[in-house]
Amino acid sequence: MDRITETVIEADPRLPVIRMSRDFAATAEQLFRAHTDPELFARWVGPDTMTTRIEHWDASTGGSWRYASVRGDTEYRFRGCFHDVRPDRIVQTFTFEGEPDGVALETLWFEDLGDGRTRLRTQSLVDSFEGRDAWLRSGMEVGVNEGYAKLERMIVDGAV
């Protein structure tokens, strides 16, 4: 499969927001399923050097989730609540448990571009500019790009 684009990651200069966008050679339904099916999600999310263990997952409006990213003996846990789950959009909270006061409100949009292509857009509203900038300095782009590359391979292999 030809990669359509790389992930674009932008910090809003006026708001503590991170916006990301990436086009996939996949349907909106495939991307939605990859974000809501816990078995699929665990296979692609995060950097290549880590594995993901789902601890709780209810991808429905009003549901919640928790997972651990594992590298050797080190675990990083994340949790949140699904506020709105529908085929074209997911709204959820996102918290890294190592920084429990830093709750982000995330929206993901699945935009059908036609011809089996979809643009995934995300927006993460963080509680402060300092929190947003800490996310950006954390190396999050590595996990985002490596995770989306794994998702692209899963799409090509027919796993999604």
Side-chain angles (χ1 to χ4, degrees):
M1 175 183 113
D2 293 328
R3 176 171 286 144
I4 296 173
T5 61
E6 292 294 322
T7 306
V8 175
I9 301 173
E10 300 174 324
D12 189 304
R14 299 175 315 270
L15 300 168
V17 168
I18 300 170
R19 292 188 181 93
M20 296 188 289
S21 178
R22 187 174 181 125
D23 291 359
F24 289 87
T27 65
E29 293 80 11
Q30 287 173 298
L31 291 182
F32 177 79
R33 191 168 58 249
H35 283 81
T36 56
D37 181 310
E39 292 178 17
L40 294 175
F41 183 82
R43 289 177 55 193
W44 68 263
V45 74
D48 293 341
T49 60
M50 303 189 91
T51 59
T52 299
R53 182 182 67 246
I54 303 294
E55 296 182 349
H56 170 74
W57 196 270
D58 176 6
S60 63
T61 298
S64 61
W65 56 270
R66 185 175 191 238
Y67 67 86
S69 293
V70 181
R71 180 185 300 124
D73 293 334
T74 305
E75 295 188 0
Y76 302 94
R77 285 190 173 76
F78 303 88
R79 62 182 160 84
C81 296
F82 289 106
H83 291 263
D84 190 28
V85 178
R86 60 185 203 213
D88 65 330
R89 183 179 87 155
I90 296 172
V91 179
Q92 64 185 5
T93 57
F94 179 93
T95 302
F96 166 50
E97 290 186 1
E99 295 289 334
D101 293 336
V103 179
L105 178 62
E106 296 187 333
T107 304
L108 294 78
W109 293 272
F110 307 99
E111 297 178 11
D112 185 345
L113 301 175
D115 296 325
R117 297 173 49 238
T118 300
R119 177 167 297 138
L120 171 62
R121 289 187 310 114
T122 68
Q123 175 175 284
S124 299
L125 174 62
V126 183
D127 64 341
S128 67
F129 285 99
E130 294 80 18
R132 181 202 65 193
D133 294 346
W135 276 30
L136 293 169
R137 285 191 310 270
S138 74
M140 67 171 265
E141 75 281 352
V142 172
V144 167
N145 283 314
E146 290 181 358
Y148 286 158
K150 286 184 279 189
L151 177 54
E152 287 178 332
R153 289 190 297 273
M154 289 171 60
I155 291 164
V156 168
D157 293 343
V160 180

